Amino acid sequence: MNDFKVKVKDLSLWYGTSRALKNISMDIPEKKVTAFIGPSGCGKSTFLRTLNRMNDLIDNVTIKGEVYVDNINIYDKNIDVVNLRKKVGMIFQKSNPFAKSVYDNIAFGPRINGISQKSILDEIVERSLKQAAIWDEVKDRLFNSALSLSGGQQQRICIARSLAVNPEIILMDEPASALDPISTSKIEELIHELKKEYTIIIVTHNMQQAARTSDMTAFFYMGDLVEMNRTELIFSNPAKKQTEDYISGRFG
Amino acid sequence: MNRNIKDTVVEGITGVSVLLIIFIIVSILAVTIVGGWSKLNWTFLSEFPKDGMTRGGIFPAIVGTAAMTLIMAIAAVPFGVITAIYLAEYASEKSIMAKTIRFAVKTLAVVPSIIFGLFGLGFFISFIGKNMDILLSGGELKWGQPNILWASLTMALLTLPVVIVSVEEAIKTIPREMREASLALGATKWQTIKNVVLPGSISGILTGTILAVSRGAGEVAPILFTGAAYFLSDLPKSLSDQFMSLGYHIYIMSTQSSDVDATLPIQFATTLVLLLLTFSLNAVAVTLRYRIRRRAK
């Protein structure tokens, strides 16, 4: 029971009156990679964004149900969303480094948490960049704009930036969908490394990527969680016909 | 009427309208340059008016305009930025508060400038100034009369909509992904505004400031009752001093001078200085705004 880092109970979400998620319940294991797959508009990204309450930013969203992170319901009234987001980091589909130097991008999180001592920041920046496997590429240009880097490098900068605030869970919303195959494989290797220390939840529309990187896979369709199981079982022997149709490429 | 003829007529009318506008602009520039160019030199810019303002330069009017617009900017920019932040970041589009502020800003932008002058006289001088005198010096007249501070604050009210609109526009071009990146790192809303939104809006804040300054530098009506002086033999030394201004100087020279014809070159040259000042400020603002818009795409 306690191996589950995130537990979702009966979660539904509406944009205005249209229902985007229907009674989702699932348990997400700690220090594993869980992949969400499904056709566009199936609710997988929306669901991911409920896990760090990113949907709070959108007007007109109604959420019912419970999401437990470390057995605490993050939709409780007295939850501090800011603390939740430090614990649950997020990587976006489109890499979004700030128009600042590489160093300032990584130091952003620690700084807003009140760390200003240079030696500590230096150490966090180096550690985070190393963890994100991009230290060797940027160590000589830490003070150049992060926007001068390639798309794949920018995405790893974003991962490093997220690691710098010591999250426990990292949500990734199609992190490699805008990248070339080489950059994609670097991100996938990185995910493999990171799961030793972090719980990773990744949304992907690329089924090979889900198969390669994840331990668990959840298939979403039209706002429903159709099926969730160990990745090799989902891909070799899905229990539901819809899942089988999707992974065999019959629709989506 | 034949369709082709209609087309020709419409094309003709639109073409003439455009030509008319170009003609007006070119005439203004040509007349001003022809009339004032010979007078425009360093002495003219750096000397006080002489001999009942029939000779000499416009130095105090330049300094006065610069000082007034500076004080105006110091008042209008922070206030405008704060309002724009509220409108863009905190107020929900549909809230009554935001609608009210937007309506107020739009209304403020269309109030005739002379009304601002009267408001400044009534509010800053007769109300705030008078009461300051009563509190600070037992009623001895110091703040309860026209001065550069009241004139600048009156002008700040007039230019406030320009600042608010420019800054809000710039804030709205910051992509949502940037805000989300910051919030996802556990930044609060204010930290996100301070560290991501405002640094990204700097060029918009600059544009608004420059547009406000160029508007404020040219306006006369708001400072007419609130601080501009006919002639001063000295530069303003404190906020409670009056000042000379370029726009007002042109008005005075062309209507109140003892020898209007003798001052014609001075009038033209002063107009030329004011035009060059506002044109160049606007050019900078337009360039900055263009860069913001390009980023927004």
Side-chain angles (χ1 to χ4, degrees):
Chain A
M1 184 76 174
N2 282 336
D3 288 348
F4 293 120
K5 188 74 177 169
V6 180
K7 282 177 273 184
V8 181
K9 295 214 163 70
D10 241 356
L11 188 89
S12 294
L13 181 145
W14 291 260
Y15 292 118
T17 52
S18 98
R19 192 171 184 182
L21 294 174
K22 301 169 189 167
N23 304 91
I24 310 281
S25 295
M26 71 160 65
D27 296 327
I28 295 170
E30 187 169 17
K31 294 187 184 173
K32 292 273 192 296
V33 178
T34 302
F36 297 167
I37 60 169
S40 302
C42 67
K44 57 193 191 299
S45 284
T46 300
F47 180 62
L48 188 78
R49 293 167 63 94
T50 62
L51 304 181
N52 67 344
R53 291 188 54 174
M54 228 27 166
N55 289 318
D56 290 17
L57 308 176
I58 301 166
D59 284 344
N60 218 5
V61 163
T62 318
I63 296 167
K64 288 217 172 77
E66 289 146 27
V67 176
Y68 294 88
V69 173
D70 288 335
N71 295 314
I72 295 164
N73 183 6
I74 63 170
Y75 282 93
D76 241 20
K77 277 195 189 69
N78 45 17
I79 281 290
D80 180 358
V81 182
V82 166
N83 279 332
L84 168 72
R85 293 194 186 129
K86 282 174 195 159
K87 190 168 175 175
V88 187
M90 188 165 206
I91 310 298
F92 298 84
Q93 180 171 6
K94 199 167 150 253
S95 64
N96 54 359
F98 302 122
K100 301 172 189 284
S101 69
V102 170
Y103 186 99
D104 287 342
N105 262 280
I106 312 302
F108 185 93
R111 278 185 179 139
I112 58 172
N113 288 316
I115 299 173
S116 56
Q117 204 182 318
K118 190 170 177 307
S119 57
I120 299 177
L121 286 174
D122 285 351
E123 191 266 319
I124 293 174
V125 169
E126 182 171 344
R127 172 175 56 78
S128 308
L129 288 168
K130 278 181 174 160
Q131 269 185 303
I134 191 166
W135 171 251
D136 289 331
E137 288 162 67
V138 298
K139 66 181 175 201
D140 297 324
R141 38 179 173 161
L142 289 177
F143 297 98
N144 291 9
S145 169
L147 300 177
S148 67
L149 303 174
S150 76
Q153 288 173 326
Q154 287 189 13
Q155 193 60 298
R156 279 178 288 148
I157 292 291
C158 292
I159 293 174
R161 179 176 68 183
S162 161
L163 297 176
V165 291
N166 291 320
E168 293 170 29
I169 302 169
I170 302 174
L171 310 176
M172 298 185 172
D173 191 357
E174 303 192 25
S177 66
L179 302 179
D180 61 78
I182 294 172
S183 301
T184 301
S185 73
K186 281 186 181 158
I187 300 273
E188 288 179 7
E189 280 166 35
L190 183 55
I191 291 171
H192 198 73
E193 277 304 305
L194 290 175
K195 77 170 182 182
K196 292 171 189 161
E197 285 178 64
Y198 304 92
T199 302
I200 293 175
I201 305 169
I202 178 171
V203 165
T204 176
H205 59 212
N206 177 334
M207 277 172 289
Q208 287 77 28
Q209 185 170 63
R212 283 192 299 263
T213 57
S214 69
D215 304 291
M216 299 289 291
T217 295
F219 172 62
F220 286 80
Y221 185 64
M222 305 271 280
D224 282 309
L225 171 61
V226 176
E227 180 172 4
M228 179 174 181
N229 212 328
R230 299 216 319 274
T231 297
E232 65 269 23
L233 286 175
I234 289 279
F235 283 95
S236 63
N237 191 15
K240 301 271 172 63
K241 183 157 188 319
Q242 275 174 319
T243 316
E244 191 181 348
D245 287 350
Y246 182 70
I247 60 171
S248 59
R250 247 166 274 169
F251 77 96
Chain B
M1 221 191 310
N2 181 310
R3 274 186 173 183
N4 288 338
I5 298 178
K6 267 193 192 166
D7 252 5
T8 318
V9 170
V10 170
E11 194 180 338
I13 293 174
T14 52
V16 168
S17 310
V18 172
L19 282 179
L20 192 66
I21 290 172
I22 295 174
F23 173 74
I24 293 170
I25 292 173
V26 171
S27 319
I28 292 177
L29 282 176
V31 171
T32 321
I33 292 172
V34 168
W37 189 256
S38 58
K39 188 77 188 140
L40 193 63
N41 55 37
W42 178 245
T43 326
F44 181 71
L45 298 177
S46 61
E47 271 192 347
F48 271 68
K50 283 183 208 156
D51 297 343
M53 298 202 282
T54 53
R55 296 197 307 115
I58 53 166
F59 182 61
I62 295 175
V63 172
T65 300
M68 186 272 291
T69 49
L70 178 71
I71 301 167
M72 174 208 82
I74 291 172
V77 173
F79 196 42
V81 170
I82 290 167
T83 310
I85 291 176
Y86 176 79
L87 285 177
E89 297 287 328
Y90 287 97
S92 141
E93 280 298 317
K94 289 165 201 144
S95 77
I96 293 172
M97 188 68 175
K99 278 184 179 163
T100 312
I101 296 175
R102 270 178 224 285
F103 179 73
V105 170
K106 277 182 192 146
T107 312
L108 209 57
V110 297
V111 169
S113 52
I114 190 74
I115 309 290
F116 282 99
L118 288 171
F119 174 79
L121 179 66
F123 181 70
F124 289 123
I125 297 176
S126 303
F127 178 66
I128 297 195
K130 283 265 157 60
N131 282 305
M132 276 171 75
D133 283 343
I134 291 167
L135 289 172
L136 299 174
S137 57
E140 193 191 326
L141 198 60
K142 184 180 183 195
W143 295 102
Q145 54 190 350
N147 65 33
I148 193 168
L149 177 65
W150 301 141
S152 304
L153 292 184
T154 306
M155 197 66 94
L157 292 179
L158 177 105
T159 54
L160 200 53
V162 177
V163 180
I164 295 174
V165 169
S166 305
V167 177
E168 193 189 353
E169 190 187 335
I171 288 179
K172 288 196 162 161
T173 66
I174 307 285
R176 203 178 78 177
E177 297 92 65
M178 288 300 142
R179 294 161 215 265
E180 288 189 341
S182 170
L183 293 166
L185 291 166
T188 61
K189 188 158 187 169
W190 169 238
Q191 286 171 327
T192 302
I193 293 172
K194 186 167 62 119
N195 297 306
V196 178
V197 174
L198 283 184
S201 309
I202 275 297
S203 50
I205 296 171
L206 269 176
T207 311
T209 308
I210 294 166
L211 285 176
V213 165
S214 92
R215 174 95 197 270
E219 280 282 351
V220 176
I223 58 175
L224 212 53
F225 317 120
T226 53
Y230 177 91
F231 173 74
L232 297 167
S233 57
D234 210 351
L235 297 176
K237 297 268 185 310
S238 92
L239 289 176
S240 60
D241 286 344
Q242 285 190 271
F243 65 105
M244 290 178 72
S245 116
L246 287 169
Y248 190 52
H249 193 61
I250 295 170
Y251 169 73
I252 292 296
M253 302 271 280
S254 55
T255 59
Q256 316 286 307
S257 171
S258 51
D259 187 352
V260 172
D261 289 335
T263 62
L264 264 181
I266 300 184
Q267 293 175 38
F268 276 123
T270 312
T271 310
L272 192 55
V273 170
L274 187 55
L275 275 180
L276 287 176
L277 184 72
T278 46
F279 277 11
S280 42
L281 285 170
N282 267 301
V284 177
V286 167
T287 318
L288 277 172
R289 179 163 282 190
Y290 170 74
R291 284 173 48 183
I292 298 175
R293 292 226 166 110
R294 205 176 42 181
R295 186 186 65 193
K297 280 169 197 161

